Amino acid sequence: MISRLLRLSRPVALGVCAVPVVGVFAAAALAPLPFVVAIPGLTADVLGADQGKPVITVTGAPVRETKGELRMTTIRATGPSSTMRLHELVGHWFKTDEAVLPKEAVYSSGGSDEEIEQHNLEEMAKSQSAAAEAALGYLHKDPKDVKVELNLADVGGPSAGLLFSLGIVDKLDGDGSGGDLTGGRSIAGTGTITADGKVGAVGGVALKTQAARRDGASVFLVPKAECGDARSELPAGLRLVPVTSLADAVDALRALNRGEDAPSC
């Protein structure tokens, strides 16, 4: 999930010629490299509002008043058309609150800045549709009767899917026993979701855990396959809970609310 993109200087074209070995290294140091620099981005409570409008609006079924937070997380990255050179990357490489990532890992669709932004917005729209379908399916609600509208501006990509689904479940059913799915806590996380409730990996989780803790979360839901990455720069006071499905996530949060053991990375 990528929030507002940072723009750097435009690429400089370099000619190709026969040069000594020293010249090769000098040229490599000056050549644009296919990497971006990413930092922890914004988080947003899907149970709250964005720009004055509820993130989740449900019609056709009673909706609960909720307590606590469910925070989707993002990274911020230099833009797809930005350039980074070796000497610039070195300064970022060893910082724990920054990551140097292959450009294709962040902007896998390729294309111009405008094309990538459009692609990310389309991925967000698909994610929202899958999230609503997954949540209603989990709750055995008929999507013909219950309508869900999701609103989150200035964010693209599919990685908020899990949190959107959890927000819908909390608004409609809570923990299933009259309480809040969050237990009144600030819960954060990341993960794509399919219409049948499977959670997928997203990337950038070590930065997202930092964003989550910065904004007050005490629990972070992470795709199970990315536990290792999430542990690499884990902030103190943040508990990692691995999940592979929406049902996993709901069960884990219910267990935490009851003071029972829940999965941990």
Side-chain angles (χ1 to χ4, degrees):
M1 180 66 62
I2 304 170
S3 57
R4 184 173 56 87
L5 304 180
L6 307 179
R7 308 294 183 188
L8 296 186
S9 57
R10 301 183 67 175
V12 176
L14 297 177
V16 179
C17 60
V19 293
V21 172
V22 174
V24 171
F25 283 110
L30 294 174
L33 299 174
F35 293 94
V36 298
V37 175
I39 62 175
L42 63 81
T43 73
D45 176 21
V46 302
L47 295 176
D50 180 58
Q51 299 184 6
K53 184 177 180 181
V55 176
I56 299 173
T57 302
V58 179
T59 55
V63 177
R64 303 176 59 257
E65 289 291 330
T66 60
K67 296 180 181 178
E69 298 177 331
L70 285 169
R71 290 197 164 271
M72 52 77 64
T73 54
T74 71
I75 63 172
R76 293 176 63 191
T78 48
S81 65
S82 65
T83 60
M84 300 296 292
R85 291 171 172 78
L86 184 60
H87 71 280
E88 296 173 313
L89 292 174
V90 169
H92 299 283
W93 210 285
F94 300 103
K95 294 183 178 180
T96 59
D97 59 347
E98 297 182 2
V100 177
L101 303 171
K103 187 172 291 188
E104 64 180 13
V106 179
Y107 303 113
S108 58
S109 64
S112 67
D113 288 13
E114 292 75 16
E115 289 169 339
I116 290 172
E117 183 174 359
Q118 181 61 35
H119 172 78
N120 284 336
L121 292 174
E122 290 171 357
E123 288 297 299
M124 168 62 91
K126 292 177 183 176
S127 173
Q128 292 176 339
S129 177
E133 191 170 345
L136 295 179
Y138 174 82
L139 296 172
H140 305 293
K141 302 282 188 183
D142 191 338
K144 295 179 181 178
D145 299 323
V146 181
K147 304 297 182 184
V148 178
E149 180 184 351
L150 297 170
N151 168 69
L152 191 59
D154 300 327
V155 178
S159 67
L162 171 62
L163 272 295
F164 282 138
S165 287
L166 288 171
I168 297 166
V169 171
D170 199 16
K171 282 183 171 288
L172 286 171
D173 194 52
D175 65 358
S177 302
D180 292 288
L181 192 56
T182 63
R185 296 184 296 266
S186 178
I187 309 292
T190 190
T192 64
I193 200 157
T194 60
D196 60 355
K198 293 183 176 65
V199 173
V202 293
V205 293
L207 297 175
K208 292 178 179 180
T209 59
Q210 295 179 54
R213 189 61 183 143
R214 178 199 67 205
D215 291 353
S218 58
V219 174
F220 191 89
L221 302 170
V222 60
K224 187 175 182 179
E226 295 182 294
C227 269
D229 290 342
R231 285 196 305 263
S232 63
E233 300 293 345
L234 185 64
L238 187 65
R239 176 174 181 168
L240 293 177
V241 175
V243 297
T244 61
S245 68
L246 174 59
D248 277 355
V250 173
D251 288 347
L253 292 178
R254 286 174 174 171
L256 290 174
N257 292 346
R258 295 191 295 263
E260 300 172 355
D261 288 338
S264 184
C265 287

